[in-house]
Amino acid sequence: MSHPLVRSSTRSLARFATLFAAVFAVLALTAGPAAAHAALSGSDPADGARIDAAPARVTLSFNEAVQLSFASLTVVGPDGAHYEGGDLRADGNDLSTDLRALGAAGQYTVGYRVVSEDGHPIQGSYTFELTRAATPAPTTTDTATPAAAPVATAESEDGSAGVPVWILAVGVVLLVGAGLAVVLGVSRGKGRGN
């Protein structure tokens, strides 16, 4: 025969688990439409642009403010060298970096990864073409960094990365709270029994 305190703790735990499941289900069902993610809305140089003068910087504009932490912006030339040359800057919806002098004429790939205000990461890339070399192409490895792994070419779609981070955080807080309530309830029950 089980002890009354064990039965009481089991019932309390079952109630907390049911409450947690209900809250999590409501949040998961309502978060989809409400959680919009950042999307690239423009750039300078523009996607597919053909330019004859090398730009001094690359600026990406998004439909909402993006977080500078965990953001990255790369510019890889036709020679495989990286040309981003300054600190990454965020100003509202814009993310930008200064460029080193571009090398040979050809296609340059801008790759990016940013985190939306809701914590959802997105990444993508686009290209522009430099039609005339601005300076001689770098000839030493001191001025060019070998290309890293290719950046994803498709922007992630809303909802494709699963459950947003804030829902998981709420779930963890609720679960920890339920565990503490059970432990405190058992402790109080033992204290009364003595």
Side-chain angles (χ1 to χ4, degrees):
M1 185 176 223
S2 62
H3 191 276
L5 184 57
V6 172
R7 283 195 305 264
S8 174
S9 296
T10 304
R11 276 185 290 220
S12 294
L13 184 58
R15 275 184 257 167
F16 281 118
T18 302
L19 177 63
F20 171 74
V23 169
F24 187 79
V26 168
L27 290 174
L29 292 174
T30 59
H37 306 303
L40 186 65
S41 59
S43 61
D44 181 23
D47 184 11
R50 297 189 53 173
I51 55 177
D52 58 3
R57 77 185 48 79
V58 167
T59 302
L60 305 180
S61 298
F62 295 87
N63 64 337
E64 66 177 49
V66 292
Q67 300 177 25
L68 185 57
S69 55
F70 307 113
S72 66
L73 180 58
T74 60
V75 181
V76 179
D79 56 358
H82 280 250
Y83 288 92
E84 64 275 9
D87 291 334
L88 200 55
R89 293 182 298 279
D91 183 17
N93 295 14
D94 294 340
L95 185 70
S96 64
T97 187
D98 292 334
L99 297 177
R100 295 186 296 110
L102 298 187
Q107 182 172 283
Y108 287 78
T109 301
V110 177
Y112 62 89
R113 183 182 188 281
V114 295
V115 178
S116 302
E117 287 183 317
D118 67 354
H120 183 84
I122 65 162
Q123 61 186 14
S125 65
Y126 75 89
T127 60
F128 67 88
E129 184 179 348
L130 182 62
T131 59
R132 194 171 49 195
T135 59
T139 56
T140 67
T141 56
D142 294 328
T143 58
T145 305
V151 178
T153 57
E155 189 173 304
S156 66
E157 299 293 328
D158 288 347
S160 65
V163 179
V165 173
W166 69 270
I167 289 180
L168 295 175
V170 169
V172 168
V173 168
L174 289 173
L175 191 59
V176 169
L180 284 174
V182 168
V183 168
L184 291 175
V186 168
S187 297
R188 286 186 191 144
K190 283 184 181 177
R192 279 190 228 123
N194 289 335

